[in-house]
Amino acid sequence: RIELLEPGGTTLIMRGLNRQVTHTSILPLLDGFPPFVGRRAYDFVYVPWATNALSNIGLAFVNFESHQFCKTFLDALHKPSNRKKLLTYGIRSVGQALIQGRGANLRAILAKRGQ
């Protein structure tokens, strides 16, 4: 399921991620959609891991450099071939994250870790 993006939104949450996916192993997915091939349109990727560190928790967060880049990425996901790419990573839905922006997400992670 591809959810709607509110005006100004730049951060997406991907749900249902295969448990072995890391923040580096998801980069080919993010870099593989035209017009982003060969250009990173995002500045933050976070795949949280369980406290036992044996697997991720099934989520990924990606912040794009602009609302337009984020919207372009979401629009690309409507193509059947791109939906298949999502499924290879186990992703079953993509939508706007609650916390928006690189800085706000970094602060949230640090606060959660008590730093």
Side-chain angles (χ1 to χ4, degrees):
R1 178 178 86 195
I2 309 302
E3 300 169 12
L4 295 176
L5 183 66
E6 294 177 12
T10 60
T11 307
L12 299 177
I13 182 172
M14 299 178 175
R15 298 176 190 94
L17 195 65
N18 290 336
R19 298 298 176 145
Q20 72 278 8
V21 174
T22 66
H23 72 281
T24 54
S25 67
I26 201 170
L27 298 182
L29 172 71
L30 300 174
D31 294 336
F33 292 101
F36 304 129
V37 176
R39 182 198 186 293
R40 291 206 167 154
Y42 51 87
D43 56 12
F44 174 82
V45 177
Y46 178 52
V47 178
W49 281 70
T51 53
N52 62 14
L54 297 177
S55 67
N56 70 53
I57 63 170
L59 303 172
F61 298 88
V62 180
N63 186 71
F64 288 85
E65 293 175 352
S66 70
H67 172 73
Q68 188 57 49
F69 285 160
C70 189
K71 184 176 178 337
T72 300
F73 181 82
L74 270 182
D75 289 345
L77 297 181
H78 290 285
K79 289 181 62 178
S81 60
N82 291 337
R83 301 284 294 263
K84 287 180 185 176
K85 289 179 188 178
L86 289 179
L87 292 175
T88 64
Y89 288 81
I91 299 167
R92 58 180 199 277
S93 73
V94 180
Q96 184 167 314
L98 180 63
I99 299 173
Q100 290 293 300
R102 179 178 179 253
N105 273 283
L106 290 171
R107 285 189 295 278
I109 291 167
L110 291 174
K112 184 176 180 182
R113 294 181 179 171
Q115 299 177 357

